Amino acid sequence: MCCAVFADGTRAISGSEDNTLKVWDLSTGDVIHTLQGHTQMVMCCAVFADGTRAISGSFDNTLKVWDLSTGEVIYTLQGHTYSVLCCAIFADADGMRAISGSKDNTLKVWDLSTGEVIHTLQGHTGIVRCCAVFADGTRAISGSSDYTLKVWDLSTGKVIHTLQGHTDIVWCCAVFADGTRAISGSEDSTLKVWDLSTGE
């Protein structure tokens, strides 16, 4: 259901319908760890930049932060009321954070030092299908079954722009490295590139 590569390119992580994640040695193809703890399928995963930890989101409504040296759970992040479909890791001035999007139509911003919710981002009227964080950690973008994308201020939890133009579910999104533009893909068979200074 998901996969991510470590920053050094030596390992990868994958999440599956069998409720587990696996960490892989990319030079040999061998499994290093099988991460067990979710009770339903794993929908998203991401690796910390230093390769020591990972995060995953599941149909069991939770996220888990994993210690990749041991394969054990550090935190279970609870707060969503429905399946978690997307997640990303970022850093701000106060430390490591995560963002997650859910079938409950919300996103949540998490403090990864405590496992607590910092903000619940409310505004979408449909399932949140995708999310991405700007390189500077100040903003995020999300795409939804409500056919829109939203750009969020992560310090306040407020919407900066609602990007309207797709005519069906938005399944994927990404932000350009300089933070000036974003791209989205939709079930309407189009991709759109957005000017994030205007929302057009």
Side-chain angles (χ1 to χ4, degrees), residues 128-152:
V128 179
R129 298 284 181 180
C130 56
C131 60
V133 179
F134 288 59
D136 64 5
T138 63
R139 292 170 291 165
I141 190 168
S142 57
S144 171
S145 294
D146 66 12
Y147 307 174
T148 73
L149 297 103
K150 291 183 184 292
V151 180
W152 305 88

Side-chain angles (χ1 to χ4, degrees), residues 98-166:
I99 188 169
S100 57
S102 170
K103 277 190 172 183
D104 66 14
N105 302 353
T106 73
L107 297 101
K108 290 184 183 292
V109 180
W110 306 86
D111 182 337
L112 292 180
S113 67
T114 65
E116 299 298 319
V117 175
I118 299 170
H119 295 298
T120 297
L121 311 183
Q122 296 179 302
H124 281 300
T125 58
I127 294 166
V128 179
R129 298 284 181 180
C130 56
C131 60
V133 179
F134 288 59
D136 64 5
T138 63
R139 292 170 291 165
I141 190 168
S142 57
S144 171
S145 294
D146 66 12
Y147 307 174
T148 73
L149 297 103
K150 291 183 184 292
V151 180
W152 305 88
D153 181 328
L154 293 178
S155 66
T156 65
K158 303 300 183 185
V159 175
I160 300 169
H161 294 298
T162 297
L163 310 181
Q164 296 179 301
H166 283 299

Side-chain angles (χ1 to χ4, degrees), residues 17-53:
E17 286 185 338
D18 68 7
N19 307 347
T20 73
L21 298 102
K22 290 184 184 294
V23 181
W24 305 86
D25 183 326
L26 294 180
S27 64
T28 64
D30 293 333
V31 174
I32 300 168
H33 291 298
T34 297
L35 310 181
Q36 296 179 305
H38 284 298
T39 59
Q40 294 191 51
M41 69 177 70
V42 179
M43 296 301 296
C44 57
C45 57
V47 180
F48 286 59
D50 65 4
T52 63
R53 291 175 289 169

Side-chain angles (χ1 to χ4, degrees), residues 7-21:
D8 64 6
T10 64
R11 291 170 291 166
I13 190 169
S14 59
S16 172
E17 286 185 338
D18 68 7
N19 307 347
T20 73
L21 298 102

